[in-house]
Amino acid sequence: MEKFIDNLPAMDLMRSEKMTFVQLIIPVESAHRAISYLGELGLLQFRDLNADKSPFQRTFVNQVKRCAEMSRKLRFFRDQISKAGLLSSVHPVLQPDVELEELEIQLAEHEHELIEMNSNSDRLQHSYNELLEFKIVLQKASGFLVSSNSRAVPEERELDENVYSNDDYGDSVSLLEQDIRPGPSDQSGLSFVSGIICKSKALRFERMLFRATRGNMLFNQASADEQIMDPLSTEMVEKTVFVVFFSGLQAKTKILKICEAFGANCYPVPEDITKQRQITREVSSRLAELEATLDAGIRHRNKALTSVGFHLAKWMNMVRREKAVYDTLNMLNFDVTKKCLVGEGWCPIFAKTKIQEALQRATFDSNSQVGIIFHVMDAIESPPTYFRTNRFTSAFQEIVDAYGVARYQEANPAVYTCITFPFLFAVMFGDWGHGICLLLGALILIARESKLSAQKLGSFMEMLFGGRYVLLLMSLFSIYCGLIYNEFFSVPFHIFGGSAYKCRDTACSEAYTIGLIKYRDPYPFGVDPSWRGSRSELPFLNSLKMKMSILLGVAQMNLGILLSYFNARFFSSSIDIRYQFVPQVIFLNSLFGYLSLLIVIKWCTGSQADLYHVMIYMFLSPTDDLGENELFWGQRPLQIILLLLALIAVPWMLFPKPFILKKLHTERFQGRAYGMLGTSEMDLDVEPDSARQHHEEFNFSEVFVHQMIHSIEFVLGAVSNTASYLRLWALSLAHSELSTVFYEKVLLLAWGYDNFVIRLIGLAVFAFATAFILLMMETLSAFLHALRLHWVEYQNKFYYGDGYKFKPFSFASITEDED
């Protein structure tokens, strides 16, 4: 058996790639090119040899600062292009490669030119806004002044004769009477201030003026006919023209300060209509000139931005690469002579030849007289974990890695998760009508794979697109399980043309279940739809799905324990095989493996035995006669033997391993094997979790407590994990019943009315419930429960998940966020 297992071909995903620790000694003149070639290859993970230094104490800090400054300029260009509504070229035009120094000079020139154009444009726009506001104020304020003068004409003579001839009038006249007095404003002390303010501030502005002048003012306002650009937010805002009539210098000072505080712009408006018209013509002429100048400036600016946009993608990619190269060079150390850089890192064994070829090419292209030294070293720390995945397996590997990255060379759960995860999802989701809907969505994502992969997607769409093959398998298995359940949108679907026997009462159903009723035509595939609508439908389906959940759970937990055996064999840990794998298999199968056997026998024989009674009294009264609950001859002695084996397995898991580890440690470091302390081969036989690697001090109490926790967790977990698999039954039942409720109580109920509107509303509610509740919420629920079954119930049997990912230096992995 062991020879057969050893001769099995290796699986790519079963074990992570074998890694080796290497050292590079690179001459200074070829360092940049060598790191660039390694970045294109993407198969070497560098170790930071300057971790104790701050970023500002590293060798190439000035080059990193230069790259960061160029990245800032490129982001500035990108923002300006986006603000102008232009599109940067995704496929840059072909041009000769430029050096970093030349690019730095070009970017500085482009930035200086663009900043100058923006400054000139802002000044012109500010002048344009001021003139436009002045024009609007002239148009609106002249109306206020004309109406004021027209009101004063009929009363002029009477006021002159009766009132204004009085010498004391100047002291006692009211503000309103001064407002309508003809003649220049300065004769009566009446003045006015005209300007424009944001419409949202007009009411508060008027209240503040009223309070400041104690009501001794007249406030006239009118909305501007067109919106004006706000110089700060560059948004078009509505504004209001105002004219404030007042008397006295103190009032004028207060009003001007309030205008300044509210951001109101004041403009002088002459009282003479001729002057008003002359100024209006001059302002209009100046506005036309500024508008033409602004249009020409915008065209020139857009032309400059377009020329930059053609090369923007290439320049940004080049700067990102250069920054990544210098960041990596900062992880290397100078040797004693300061002529070579020393680097260390991890690489897969299969990549050693490719890395050496890239380093030789870097030496040749840089015309270096000294070659780059590449040699393998021994490492104390554990290597990183690296799995080579493709478009199909990468999503399943991410599901496993979300729980924890596999320890180096540990068995990878993703190998089996590719099938078990979508299958357990389908057991809970099982409806082939809904499964077809999911299949269509998955096929659309796969058909548009090349197009969507080139686009920048949102977080939700990116997650959905990344799991397109997971969705494909989930939908296919859902269709399969739906065919077994014979459920099509929860409607019983007679695929093979009729049922074997129509049972409509409990007695008939039970007799049909246990085989008392003979039939000629057995239903060939899945659950007979004749159970639908019978009084025993729910008890029958509950019993079937509950037992099926237990069988699937025990099978998957046994798979997890079996993988722990392969881990122990791979790491040559005979202690884990004898004192962990064997008692775990005995304990789990003595109880729940036996329960699974009873389920299968009951299905095959049609027995009416109560399995709850059998399992409970197996512990309470193992020697009692089983009576009608006996399923096969010799069941009682078998139960006693299995119960004893389960009891023996608990101390078997708990006690031997800590004492054997203590004995091995004593022999190795204090007794007969003392002369072998310095050998590295002895450390290879040490268990990964034995706390004895690298000659660490052995703590027996810590090891014993750890083993005790592990044993208790397994014993209790065998019960709780088996019960946890009943979620397969619970969610399948919930999905089926929800579908039935929406179908019968919404669609069929609405269809029973002879009214088109009611039918349309019922169809809309049913479609909404199907799309958002059954296809979205139920899919997410089944996905999360399948995730929990794999992370907790399955992976805790063998998976440590305390490794760390292999993250090589690669240009392909550089994102825009690293600017």
Side-chain angles (χ1 to χ4, degrees):
M1 181 65 181
E2 292 183 357
K3 291 182 179 180
F4 173 76
I5 293 174
D6 292 337
N7 292 330
L8 288 175
M11 298 174 66
D12 288 341
L13 271 179
M14 187 64 181
R15 305 282 174 191
S16 60
E17 293 292 336
K18 293 184 179 179
M19 309 294 290
T20 182
F21 190 70
V22 298
Q23 185 183 54
L24 306 177
I25 302 177
I26 312 173
V28 174
E29 60 271 14
S30 57
H32 184 277
R33 196 176 296 272
I35 299 299
S36 298
Y37 289 171
L38 291 176
E40 293 173 357
L41 189 62
L43 289 172
L44 181 62
Q45 175 178 328
F46 285 93
R47 229 174 87 181
D48 191 0
L49 302 180
N50 299 310
D52 56 335
K53 295 182 180 179
S54 69
F56 302 101
Q57 294 175 328
R58 306 207 177 197
T59 308
F60 299 95
V61 61
N62 292 328
Q63 287 82 350
V64 173
K65 287 181 179 178
R66 288 171 58 194
C67 292
E69 179 63 19
M70 286 189 283
S71 295
R72 183 197 61 78
K73 293 175 182 177
L74 290 170
R75 288 196 302 273
F76 170 70
F77 296 148
R78 184 181 61 189
D79 294 341
Q80 291 295 312
I81 291 172
S82 176
K83 186 183 293 185
L86 305 174
L87 295 176
S88 58
S89 177
V90 179
H91 305 287
V93 296
L94 296 176
Q95 65 167 6
D97 293 334
V98 295
E99 296 293 333
L100 191 65
E101 290 76 12
E102 297 178 9
L103 179 60
E104 189 175 13
I105 295 172
Q106 289 184 26
L107 294 181
E109 292 175 353
H110 285 304
E111 185 189 31
H112 177 72
E113 180 184 6
L114 191 57
I115 289 176
E116 188 174 354
M117 284 190 291
N118 288 342
S119 178
N120 293 334
S121 177
D122 290 341
R123 285 198 297 269
L124 289 174
Q125 187 66 46
H126 184 71
S127 300
Y128 180 83
N129 288 341
E130 286 184 345
L131 288 173
L132 183 60
E133 288 180 349
F134 191 19
K135 178 182 176 182
I136 295 173
V137 169
L138 284 171
Q139 293 173 349
K140 297 295 181 179
S142 62
F144 297 143
L145 296 176
V146 168
S147 62
S148 175
N149 291 333
S150 64
R151 290 196 306 269
V153 169
E155 303 172 0
E156 178 179 356
R157 183 167 309 191
E158 182 180 356
L159 289 171
D160 283 339
E161 293 176 355
N162 300 328
V163 181
Y164 300 135
S165 58
N166 190 352
D167 294 336
D168 299 331
Y169 176 78
D171 298 329
S172 60
V173 70
S174 68
L175 184 61
L176 293 177
E177 291 173 340
Q178 291 182 14
D179 179 30
I180 61 173
R181 182 173 182 179
S185 298
D186 54 358
Q187 292 180 3
S188 61
L190 182 66
S191 303
F192 67 90
V193 171
S194 56
I196 193 168
I197 191 172
C198 289
K199 192 172 183 178
S200 59
K201 300 179 182 178
L203 183 59
R204 289 181 288 133
F205 178 65
E206 183 180 0
R207 288 177 180 174
M208 183 60 70
L209 289 175
F210 185 83
R211 291 172 182 172
T213 60
R214 298 183 180 180
N216 292 317
M217 63 94 188
L218 180 64
F219 186 83
N220 291 322
Q221 61 177 340
S223 297
D225 296 333
E226 54 185 308
Q227 293 183 338
I228 302 172
M229 181 183 292
D230 187 359
L232 297 178
S233 63
T234 67
E235 294 180 356
M236 303 300 291
V237 296
E238 294 183 356
K239 292 201 172 185
T240 299
V241 177
F242 65 88
V243 177
V244 183
F245 295 93
F246 60 91
S247 177
L249 292 177
Q250 290 184 353
K252 182 178 182 180
T253 304
K254 292 179 181 179
I255 291 172
L256 291 177
K257 286 183 178 180
I258 293 173
C259 290
E260 183 180 358
F262 276 83
N265 297 326
C266 298
Y267 297 97
V269 177
E271 296 184 12
D272 189 1
I273 297 178
T274 306
K275 290 183 180 180
Q276 289 179 8
R277 291 173 180 173
Q278 181 181 356
I279 294 175
T280 302
R281 286 194 297 269
E282 292 177 359
V283 170
S284 300
S285 174
R286 180 62 178 156
L287 278 174
E289 294 175 1
L290 279 177
E291 191 170 356
T293 306
L294 280 171
D295 290 341
I298 290 174
R299 287 195 299 270
H300 179 63
R301 180 172 173 272
N302 288 346
K303 185 178 179 181
L305 288 175
T306 303
S307 65
V308 171
F310 283 137
H311 314 294
L312 186 63
K314 182 176 179 180
W315 288 347
M316 293 186 78
N317 188 41
M318 178 181 175
V319 172
R320 281 195 207 106
R321 288 188 170 211
E322 289 295 322
K323 186 174 183 297
V325 167
Y326 285 115
D327 282 335
T328 305
L329 285 171
N330 276 332
M331 300 170 72
L332 276 57
N333 261 342
F334 270 107
D335 70 340
V336 179
T337 62
K338 299 294 183 182
K339 294 181 180 179
C340 294
L341 287 167
V342 179
E344 296 176 356
W346 294 97
C347 72
I349 290 180
F350 72 85
K352 285 170 59 178
T353 305
K354 297 179 182 179
I355 293 174
Q356 288 174 336
E357 290 175 355
L359 295 177
Q360 291 172 3
R361 188 157 47 94
T363 303
F364 178 78
D365 292 346
S366 58
N367 298 322
S368 177
Q369 302 297 323
V370 182
I372 300 174
I373 300 174
F374 175 87
H375 64 94
V376 179
M377 295 177 60
D378 293 331
I380 296 178
E381 65 186 45
S382 177
T385 302
Y386 174 50
F387 294 104
R388 281 189 283 182
T389 58
N390 52 34
R391 289 179 298 181
F392 178 78
T393 58
S394 60
F396 294 100
Q397 189 63 56
E398 288 297 325
I399 289 175
V400 174
D401 290 345
Y403 174 81
V405 179
R407 181 180 291 184
Y408 177 65
Q409 294 276 283
E410 182 182 12
N412 185 16
V415 176
Y416 304 96
T417 301
C418 292
I419 300 300
T420 59
F421 183 85
F423 178 71
L424 292 185
F425 168 87
V427 171
M428 293 180 277
F429 192 74
D431 186 308
W432 68 278
H434 297 150
I436 290 175
C437 296
L438 295 182
L439 178 63
L440 292 176
L443 291 177
I444 291 173
L445 290 175
I446 293 173
R448 303 182 63 187
E449 184 174 333
S450 57
K451 183 178 179 181
L452 291 175
S453 59
Q455 295 179 359
K456 187 174 182 181
L457 305 174
S459 57
F460 175 75
M461 277 303 299
E462 186 177 358
M463 179 184 65
L464 194 63
F465 176 71
R468 58 196 180 279
Y469 290 104
V470 179
L471 187 62
L472 175 67
L473 284 187
M474 290 194 308
S475 61
L476 292 176
F477 278 114
S478 295
I479 294 173
Y480 170 73
C481 289
L483 291 173
I484 290 181
Y485 297 156
N486 274 330
E487 290 184 5
F488 176 74
F489 290 106
S490 81
V491 185
F493 196 81
H494 297 249
I495 304 171
F496 295 98
S499 64
Y501 192 84
K502 300 293 184 180
C503 291
R504 290 301 174 190
D505 59 1
T506 307
C508 175
S509 301
E510 291 176 354
Y512 178 72
T513 306
I514 63 176
L516 296 180
I517 293 179
K518 304 300 182 183
Y519 48 80
R520 298 176 184 176
D521 259 345
Y523 198 75
F525 187 82
V527 177
D528 193 332
S530 65
W531 292 106
R532 289 287 182 175
S534 66
R535 286 180 294 175
S536 56
E537 173 194 358
L538 201 57
F540 169 73
L541 292 178
N542 280 345
S543 176
L544 173 67
K545 293 182 179 180
M546 180 174 62
K547 293 180 174 65
M548 179 186 65
S549 301
I550 293 174
L551 292 177
L552 293 174
V554 172
Q556 191 175 33
M557 287 190 291
N558 273 294
L559 174 62
I561 297 175
L562 184 62
L563 288 177
S564 71
Y565 166 77
F566 286 112
N567 270 340
R569 272 190 57 82
F570 182 82
F571 292 113
S572 302
S573 176
S574 58
I575 296 177
D576 282 341
I577 295 176
R578 294 171 188 168
Y579 305 107
Q580 191 162 303
F581 165 73
V582 174
Q584 285 181 357
V585 170
I586 291 174
F587 183 85
L588 180 65
N589 290 286
S590 295
L591 301 179
F592 300 102
Y594 174 63
L595 175 60
S596 302
L597 177 65
L598 293 181
I599 291 172
V600 174
I601 293 176
K602 182 176 180 180
W603 280 350
C604 294
T605 61
S607 170
Q608 292 182 321
D610 185 1
L611 298 186
Y612 296 106
H613 185 278
V614 172
M615 293 303 297
I616 291 172
Y617 283 91
M618 177 180 173
F619 292 92
L620 298 180
S621 303
T623 58
D624 288 356
D625 186 20
L626 295 174
E628 61 179 9
N629 291 321
E630 186 172 1
L631 287 165
F632 56 90
W633 181 85
Q635 182 178 354
R636 186 176 64 178
L638 177 61
Q639 287 187 173
I640 296 174
I641 294 172
L642 292 177
L643 184 59
L644 291 175
L645 287 175
L647 294 175
I648 293 171
V650 176
W652 191 351
M653 275 188 286
L654 176 58
F655 294 109
K657 184 177 177 180
F659 288 99
I660 292 174
L661 292 177
K662 181 181 180 181
K663 180 182 177 183
L664 289 176
H665 175 81
T666 304
E667 291 177 352
R668 181 168 299 172
F669 296 110
Q670 295 181 9
R672 290 165 288 176
Y674 183 79
M676 303 177 69
L677 280 174
T679 61
S680 60
E681 291 79 9
M682 293 300 295
D683 289 336
L684 299 178
D685 297 331
V686 179
E687 275 66 28
D689 59 338
S690 62
R692 298 189 292 123
Q693 292 181 340
H694 319 313
H695 309 297
E696 293 180 1
E697 183 180 356
F698 182 80
N699 190 331
F700 175 76
S701 60
E702 182 180 344
V703 174
F704 185 83
V705 169
H706 179 271
Q707 187 65 23
M708 181 174 64
I709 293 172
H710 184 76
S711 302
I712 294 173
E713 181 183 6
F714 180 83
V715 172
L716 297 179
V719 180
S720 64
N721 293 350
T722 305
S724 183
Y725 276 94
L726 293 177
R727 71 185 66 235
L728 298 174
W729 154 52
L731 266 79
S732 174
L733 177 66
H735 184 83
S736 175
E737 293 303 313
L738 270 176
S739 302
T740 303
V741 167
F742 289 131
Y743 176 72
E744 294 180 354
K745 303 301 181 183
V746 176
L747 187 62
L748 292 185
L749 187 64
W751 223 252
Y753 291 90
D754 191 15
N755 188 308
F756 176 75
V757 176
I758 295 178
R759 289 184 175 185
L760 188 63
I761 293 174
L763 185 62
V765 173
F766 178 76
F768 177 84
T770 299
F772 290 96
I773 297 178
L774 297 178
L775 287 180
M776 290 183 64
M777 292 180 60
E778 285 289 308
T779 300
L780 181 60
S781 175
F783 182 91
L784 293 176
H785 283 283
L787 199 65
R788 184 245 155 77
L789 289 177
H790 280 77
W791 281 358
V792 180
E793 279 71 27
Y794 168 54
Q795 291 179 186
N796 71 352
K797 302 294 185 295
F798 68 97
Y799 189 61
Y800 289 98
D802 56 356
Y804 63 101
K805 268 189 177 182
F806 175 62
K807 295 181 180 178
F809 169 60
S810 173
F811 290 145
S813 62
I814 299 175
T815 61
E816 293 185 9
D817 297 335
E818 298 182 17
D819 288 346

